[in-house]
Amino acid sequence: MGEPDDERWQDAGPEPEERVPAGIRARWILDRLENRRAAMGLTPRPAGPRDLDAVTRLVERLDAAGEPDTSGLMERVLDHALDNGFQAKRVDTGRRFARLFDELRDDLTCDQRTLERRRREHADAGQTAGSDTGESRPVEPESYETRARRMLADRIGADIDASTAIRALADRLRLDPDPDPGQAARYAELALRAGRKTRAEQARRESERSRELHDYRASHGGSCFAGNWQLEQAE
């Protein structure tokens, strides 16, 4: 009698994101906000119930609007905001992130379009210079991000979040573009340390996510989909 039910739970595949409760996905974003700010050396502001409520409502709004990857979109918008000094000071709580989300999303969209336009312009300029004169165009100045990536190329391992380390070193190079070798080595080590901290926080966050989903499934008959455990209760 119990065999069909057992097979039903065993055959269930990974839960689509929309079946993961909005509150759990909101907690993921709040953890990301707190961990990123801590890794950047910004003032930590632990999330409270009002922050969770605000971000949960944002998740539900994006889901209702048909967003195919709500968590991915929120993470991209949050990371872009924290990479901007002005916005990083504003986005210090979940409530502010939820309130400013549409503005921050527009900033990301505009910056992506600007970057794409510049790439096209550079590509067109290079083709024109090569076809008209046969000469190579002047080498563009190396960006701080490219320079940081080159300085850290042989030192980033599996225990380091590369994007965090590169951003951290690029920010220091913006403030001190021509450090002596000793200072440059110190900047690199601090950047690598930030990358290790972020990677450790990511591992902890993933572990917490897995545990939360496991506990939620266990308390609802083995699935995040409400229809399954409601059906089980009815039987």
Side-chain angles (χ1 to χ4, degrees):
M1 293 292 290
E3 186 175 347
D5 288 340
D6 294 339
E7 291 180 352
R8 178 175 58 187
W9 302 130
Q10 292 171 2
D11 292 340
E15 299 290 346
E17 181 189 289
E18 64 271 16
R19 294 183 180 178
V20 178
I24 291 180
R25 286 182 281 156
R27 171 56 61 185
W28 295 347
I29 294 298
L30 291 172
D31 287 346
R32 189 181 188 90
L33 171 60
E34 185 175 346
N35 294 335
R36 278 291 315 273
R37 285 181 59 85
M40 295 169 64
L42 299 176
T43 303
R45 297 187 183 279
R50 294 172 63 190
D51 296 299
L52 182 59
D53 288 344
V55 179
T56 298
R57 288 195 298 271
L58 174 60
V59 172
E60 293 170 342
R61 175 165 69 86
L62 295 174
D63 284 348
E67 175 59 43
D69 183 14
T70 295
S71 293
L73 171 63
M74 295 175 72
E75 289 177 358
R76 291 193 300 274
V77 171
L78 176 61
D79 288 346
H80 184 265
L82 293 178
D83 286 339
N84 179 292
F86 171 71
Q87 299 292 13
K89 290 185 290 186
R90 301 175 73 199
V91 183
D92 59 348
T93 65
R95 280 171 291 166
R96 289 190 177 181
F97 175 67
R99 185 172 70 250
L100 297 171
F101 180 82
D102 291 336
E103 175 187 334
L104 300 173
R105 184 179 185 178
D106 288 345
D107 285 347
L108 173 60
T109 300
C110 291
D111 287 351
Q112 288 176 331
R113 290 179 177 176
T114 298
L115 179 61
E116 183 60 31
R117 186 183 70 250
R118 288 175 178 173
R119 286 174 177 170
R120 290 197 302 268
E121 291 173 350
H122 290 160
D124 293 342
Q127 293 174 357
T128 302
S131 59
D132 292 347
T133 66
E135 299 177 356
S136 59
R137 59 174 175 164
V139 178
E140 296 180 8
E142 187 177 43
S143 70
Y144 292 112
E145 286 76 10
T146 300
R147 185 180 173 190
R149 187 176 293 105
R150 175 172 52 79
M151 292 172 64
L152 299 175
D154 298 330
R155 304 185 62 185
I156 294 179
D159 63 329
I160 294 174
D161 182 72
S163 60
T164 297
I166 291 169
R167 283 195 299 264
L169 181 54
D171 288 343
R172 292 184 180 276
L173 292 175
R174 287 187 180 92
L175 298 175
D176 185 6
D178 190 26
D180 60 60
Q183 190 71 349
R186 180 173 178 274
Y187 289 161
E189 185 56 41
L190 291 172
L192 292 169
R193 189 180 305 171
R196 290 190 188 95
K197 183 174 182 179
T198 297
R199 179 66 75 200
E201 291 292 345
Q202 288 172 345
R204 182 187 64 79
R205 186 167 62 247
E206 289 300 324
S207 177
E208 290 180 351
R209 286 187 181 187
S210 297
R211 186 171 60 254
E212 286 176 346
L213 288 176
H214 176 273
D215 293 345
Y216 189 87
R217 289 190 180 102
S219 64
H220 294 85
S223 174
C224 286
F225 182 40
N228 283 346
W229 55 264
Q230 288 174 349
L231 176 62
E232 180 71 9
Q233 290 176 345
E235 294 175 352

